[in-house]
Structure formats: C-alpha cells, structure tokens
Amino acid sequence: MMDRIFIDIWVYLAASPLLWLTLTLAVYLAGQWLFRRSGGRALFNPVALAITLLVLLLLLTGTPYSTYFTGARFIHFLLGPATVALAVPLYLHWKRIRQLALPILAGLLVGSLTAILSAMGIAELLGGSPRTLLSLAPKSVTTPVAMGIAEKIGGLPSLTAVLVILTGVIGAVAAPALLDWLRVRDDAVKGLAIGVAAHGIGTARALQISGLAGAFAGLAIGLNALLTALLVPLVVRLLHLAP
C-alpha cells in the first residue's frame, strides 16, 4: 500500500518540470554543505557529488535524460550568462594578466599540446581504436567546442561529451591537491593550469581558491578552446589519423 502511495506521489511530482530543477539545486547545495563541512577536501567537490547523486537518482527512478533536461533547462540557459560573468574577474586582474602575457601564451601552448598528445598516447597504448583517439583529442576544452572539433575530425561527439565531463570532474578534484603537492603557490599559475586541464568545472573550483585563480582559469578556458581547435586537426593530420 505504501509503495503504491509513493509511486503515485512520484508520478505526480515527475510530471512537473520544476522537480528536476529543484532536485539539481538541492543536491548541489548538499554538495556545497559537505564540501564546507569537510574543510574543503577535494573528494567532496560539490559538482562531482551533484553529478553522481543525480545520475544515481535518474537510474533508480528510470527517468530518461531528456525528461531530466526538460526540467533542468533553466540551468542550461544560465550557462551563457555565467560564462560572460567570467569577464568580471578578468577585468579585476587585467593588470596582472598583461604582465604575464608571454608566460601565459607559452603555458597554454604546452598545456594544450600535452592534453591532446597524452590522452591520445595513453589510449593508443591501451589499444584504443582510431575513432576513440579522435574522440579523446579535444577532451580538455569546454563541451560544445570539444563536440564540434570531434565531429569535424571524425570522432564521436557523444563519447567526447562524456570524456569532457570526466576530465573536468577529475581535474577539479585532483588538480588543486596535485598543485599543492608540487608546491605551486601562485594562484595565477594554479588557475591557468586548472583552466587548461579541466575547463569550466575546473574553473568553478579555481574560483573557490581565489578570484585571481578564477580569472586565470577563465582566461585559460577561452584561449585553450581556440588553440585546441587549431592544434587538433594539425596533430591528427601529422599522425595520419584522419578518416
């Protein structure tokens, strides 16, 4: 009897588009609470926790992703204004960015090439197919750009989207601890490294470190997307991987 009541309540709530929007915000706030309570431990990254909990919830309730996306579409809409808002920390730290222009460009070039070649090299060693390698190549840039690059070079855009999200989550969780272990103290360097390696999800983590780290991570997202779009087709051609 109770099971039937629960199912009826769930069916009623699932019919409202606000359900998944509310649940998305609730699990993220729960993740933020856990992150603060843990003293900022990387394993309790709120974005990673929110993704994990939502995936489990979708699987347990048998809810298709299309139904979830219909409810959470407003959050997707806010990605645009949130991206534009990254210009604020850039403006506030513009003087420091100008002073470090050459090191930034050198770091971007090395970071972008390392991200492309290391992913493709590891996949090749593990026996990945040429199409898998092409799907992996743009994994360190923001999802829409990565999917566009993968489609143009013959990769699988849907596989690339999953790899981009995994890269962002792993980068946001592991990069700050790794940089501390390597004794990188400058927040500008931390932000640039996290932005190049882990795109938007990493930038959200960099903003929790400091405004300076967030500014450099935001800069890295845009420039690395441009650089990767130029470098990946060149690398693919040099490695004779083009279909």
Side-chain angles (χ1 to χ4, degrees), residues 19-57:
L19 172 67
W20 291 106
L21 176 61
T22 306
L23 286 175
T24 301
L25 295 175
V27 295
Y28 180 76
L29 289 174
Q32 281 276 37
W33 181 80
L34 276 173
F35 183 71
R36 291 197 187 103
R37 293 285 293 179
S38 69
R41 289 182 182 276
L43 285 176
F44 294 95
N45 182 281
V47 175
L49 286 173
I51 291 173
T52 305
L53 289 173
L54 283 171
V55 169
L56 288 174
L57 202 53

XYZ file of all heavy atoms in Angstrom, residues 19-57:
308
model
N 10.470 19.790 -10.847
C 11.011 18.751 -9.971
C 12.523 18.601 -10.157
O 13.289 18.671 -9.188
C 10.324 17.409 -10.260
C 10.957 16.215 -9.539
C 10.757 16.320 -8.032
C 10.390 14.905 -10.065
N 12.958 18.420 -11.413
C 14.387 18.162 -11.651
C 15.224 19.406 -11.444
O 16.394 19.313 -11.050
C 14.579 17.564 -13.039
C 14.010 16.187 -13.099
C 12.863 15.784 -13.716
C 14.527 15.022 -12.429
N 12.640 14.457 -13.494
C 13.647 13.951 -12.715
C 15.644 14.790 -11.633
C 13.865 12.669 -12.209
C 15.867 13.520 -11.141
C 14.982 12.479 -11.433
N 14.648 20.568 -11.696
C 15.362 21.816 -11.394
C 15.596 21.914 -9.889
O 16.704 22.224 -9.430
C 14.544 23.013 -11.887
C 15.110 24.404 -11.550
C 16.482 24.587 -12.188
C 14.158 25.499 -12.007
N 14.542 21.634 -9.112
C 14.655 21.705 -7.653
C 15.646 20.676 -7.126
O 16.485 20.975 -6.271
C 13.264 21.458 -7.012
O 12.333 22.375 -7.578
C 13.329 21.649 -5.508
N 15.562 19.442 -7.659
C 16.472 18.394 -7.200
C 17.925 18.730 -7.549
O 18.844 18.468 -6.759
C 16.081 17.052 -7.825
C 14.817 16.396 -7.252
C 14.473 15.129 -8.036
C 15.022 16.051 -5.775
N 18.143 19.303 -8.732
C 19.506 19.671 -9.136
C 20.096 20.698 -8.172
O 21.239 20.571 -7.714
C 19.504 20.241 -10.567
O 18.967 19.261 -11.455
C 20.906 20.598 -11.023
N 19.293 21.729 -7.856
C 19.773 22.745 -6.922
C 19.977 22.155 -5.531
O 20.945 22.480 -4.835
C 18.759 23.903 -6.851
C 18.578 24.702 -8.149
C 17.472 25.736 -7.999
C 19.891 25.395 -8.535
N 19.070 21.256 -5.135
C 19.160 20.663 -3.790
C 20.421 19.814 -3.631
O 21.130 19.923 -2.622
C 17.910 19.824 -3.510
N 20.718 18.962 -4.632
C 21.908 18.111 -4.497
C 23.192 18.938 -4.579
O 24.191 18.614 -3.920
C 21.921 16.977 -5.554
C 20.780 16.004 -5.336
C 21.919 17.527 -6.961
N 23.161 20.032 -5.364
C 24.357 20.884 -5.411
C 24.583 21.578 -4.068
O 25.708 21.650 -3.559
C 24.240 21.924 -6.532
C 25.464 22.808 -6.605
C 26.651 22.331 -7.164
C 25.451 24.097 -6.075
C 27.791 23.121 -7.205
C 26.596 24.895 -6.109
C 27.751 24.405 -6.680
O 28.891 25.178 -6.703
N 23.487 22.089 -3.469
C 23.621 22.742 -2.164
C 24.071 21.741 -1.097
O 24.858 22.074 -0.211
C 22.279 23.379 -1.768
C 21.883 24.615 -2.588
C 20.475 25.079 -2.212
C 22.878 25.755 -2.369
N 23.576 20.497 -1.203
C 24.021 19.455 -0.279
C 25.520 19.192 -0.463
O 26.263 19.014 0.514
C 23.224 18.175 -0.509
N 25.961 19.189 -1.727
C 27.379 19.008 -2.015
C 28.219 20.152 -1.461
O 29.297 19.939 -0.908
N 27.709 21.389 -1.591
C 28.414 22.556 -1.037
C 28.541 22.431 0.469
O 29.588 22.742 1.052
C 27.623 23.836 -1.380
C 27.825 24.331 -2.781
C 29.079 25.189 -2.907
O 30.077 24.911 -2.284
N 29.031 26.199 -3.732
N 27.463 21.968 1.122
C 27.472 21.810 2.576
C 28.516 20.774 2.994
O 29.302 20.995 3.915
C 26.078 21.396 3.045
C 25.966 21.230 4.526
C 25.810 22.216 5.464
C 26.041 19.981 5.255
N 25.771 21.671 6.719
C 25.909 20.301 6.629
C 26.191 18.663 4.876
C 25.924 19.325 7.620
C 26.211 17.673 5.862
C 26.079 18.010 7.209
N 28.537 19.635 2.287
C 29.512 18.592 2.598
C 30.944 19.091 2.368
O 31.856 18.795 3.149
C 29.260 17.366 1.716
C 28.189 16.383 2.192
C 27.949 15.320 1.122
C 28.615 15.718 3.496
N 31.124 19.870 1.282
C 32.456 20.396 0.953
C 32.964 21.301 2.072
O 34.121 21.211 2.492
C 32.363 21.163 -0.369
C 33.680 21.700 -0.866
C 34.652 20.828 -1.351
C 33.947 23.052 -0.860
C 35.867 21.314 -1.816
C 35.155 23.541 -1.321
C 36.112 22.680 -1.805
N 32.067 22.172 2.581
C 32.477 23.079 3.663
C 32.719 22.300 4.951
O 33.679 22.551 5.672
C 31.399 24.131 3.886
C 31.280 25.132 2.740
C 30.512 26.368 3.175
N 30.243 27.242 2.060
C 29.066 27.331 1.457
N 28.053 26.621 1.890
N 28.895 28.144 0.441
N 31.840 21.339 5.245
C 31.968 20.562 6.485
C 33.240 19.722 6.489
O 33.787 19.405 7.546
C 30.750 19.635 6.648
C 29.439 20.351 6.894
C 29.317 20.883 8.290
N 29.227 19.804 9.269
C 29.124 20.005 10.577
N 29.112 21.229 11.046
N 29.050 18.975 11.404
N 33.694 19.329 5.270
C 34.904 18.508 5.195
C 36.176 19.352 5.234
O 37.270 18.804 5.145
C 34.882 17.686 3.900
O 35.055 18.545 2.774
N 36.010 20.670 5.346
C 37.179 21.551 5.345
C 37.750 21.764 3.961
O 38.920 22.080 3.809
N 36.902 21.606 2.932
C 37.343 21.854 1.561
C 38.095 20.699 0.940
O 38.927 20.906 0.051
N 37.844 19.472 1.400
C 38.534 18.314 0.824
C 38.102 18.098 -0.627
O 36.915 18.165 -0.942
C 38.241 17.053 1.633
C 38.916 17.031 2.991
C 38.631 15.745 3.715
N 39.233 15.721 5.028
C 40.496 15.378 5.269
N 41.249 15.019 4.254
N 40.988 15.403 6.475
N 39.091 17.795 -1.482
C 38.819 17.673 -2.918
C 37.812 16.571 -3.229
O 37.023 16.684 -4.173
C 40.126 17.410 -3.656
N 37.833 15.495 -2.436
C 36.926 14.377 -2.713
C 35.459 14.771 -2.558
O 34.573 14.098 -3.083
C 37.237 13.200 -1.775
C 38.490 12.395 -2.114
C 38.736 11.316 -1.063
C 38.346 11.743 -3.491
N 35.206 15.858 -1.852
C 33.831 16.306 -1.655
C 33.492 17.468 -2.588
O 32.702 18.336 -2.233
C 33.601 16.701 -0.188
C 33.690 15.538 0.757
C 34.877 15.244 1.416
C 32.598 14.714 0.967
C 34.971 14.162 2.286
C 32.680 13.622 1.826
C 33.862 13.348 2.492
N 34.099 17.480 -3.738
C 33.806 18.532 -4.733
C 32.304 18.565 -5.014
O 31.711 17.530 -5.378
C 34.573 18.231 -6.024
C 34.357 19.290 -7.069
O 33.343 19.301 -7.738
N 35.304 20.195 -7.199
N 31.643 19.707 -4.833
C 30.177 19.745 -4.971
C 29.667 19.402 -6.366
O 28.598 18.794 -6.493
C 29.823 21.193 -4.588
C 31.093 21.946 -4.659
C 32.197 20.990 -4.392
N 30.414 19.756 -7.407
C 29.967 19.428 -8.772
C 30.007 17.917 -8.985
O 29.049 17.318 -9.512
C 30.846 20.142 -9.818
C 30.465 19.710 -11.224
C 30.717 21.648 -9.677
N 31.105 17.275 -8.542
C 31.218 15.822 -8.703
C 30.137 15.103 -7.903
O 29.516 14.140 -8.397
C 32.605 15.369 -8.255
N 29.892 15.570 -6.678
C 28.859 14.934 -5.854
C 27.478 15.103 -6.481
O 26.667 14.161 -6.509
C 28.870 15.552 -4.450
C 30.037 15.127 -3.550
C 30.023 15.929 -2.253
C 29.954 13.646 -3.235
N 27.203 16.314 -7.000
C 25.886 16.571 -7.597
C 25.669 15.691 -8.829
O 24.580 15.111 -9.006
C 25.768 18.051 -7.977
N 26.689 15.553 -9.674
C 26.568 14.704 -10.867
C 26.318 13.256 -10.457
O 25.429 12.580 -10.997
C 27.842 14.809 -11.730
C 27.944 16.201 -12.362
C 27.846 13.741 -12.823
C 29.242 16.445 -13.097
N 27.092 12.776 -9.478
C 26.946 11.379 -9.030
C 25.552 11.116 -8.473
O 24.898 10.120 -8.829
C 28.005 11.069 -7.947
O 29.296 11.363 -8.466
C 27.944 9.610 -7.535
N 25.087 12.003 -7.608
C 23.764 11.804 -6.999
C 22.643 11.871 -8.040
O 21.695 11.080 -8.003
C 23.529 12.869 -5.910
C 24.370 12.707 -4.636
C 24.180 13.895 -3.707
C 23.976 11.417 -3.926
N 22.760 12.795 -8.980
C 21.707 12.926 -10.000
C 21.684 11.706 -10.927
O 20.603 11.232 -11.303
C 21.920 14.201 -10.817
C 21.503 15.498 -10.113
C 21.954 16.714 -10.890
C 19.981 15.532 -9.921
N 22.873 11.204 -11.299
C 22.912 10.007 -12.153
C 22.278 8.828 -11.429
O 21.462 8.082 -12.010
C 24.368 9.688 -12.553
C 24.462 8.308 -13.203
C 24.899 10.734 -13.519
N 22.610 8.652 -10.137
C 22.007 7.569 -9.355
C 20.489 7.723 -9.282
O 19.740 6.755 -9.425
C 22.603 7.555 -7.945
C 24.046 7.060 -7.830
C 24.569 7.224 -6.406
C 24.121 5.594 -8.251
N 20.050 8.959 -9.092
C 18.611 9.219 -8.990
C 17.886 8.909 -10.301
O 16.803 8.303 -10.310
C 18.394 10.687 -8.613
C 17.063 11.074 -7.972
C 16.777 10.191 -6.763
C 17.094 12.533 -7.553
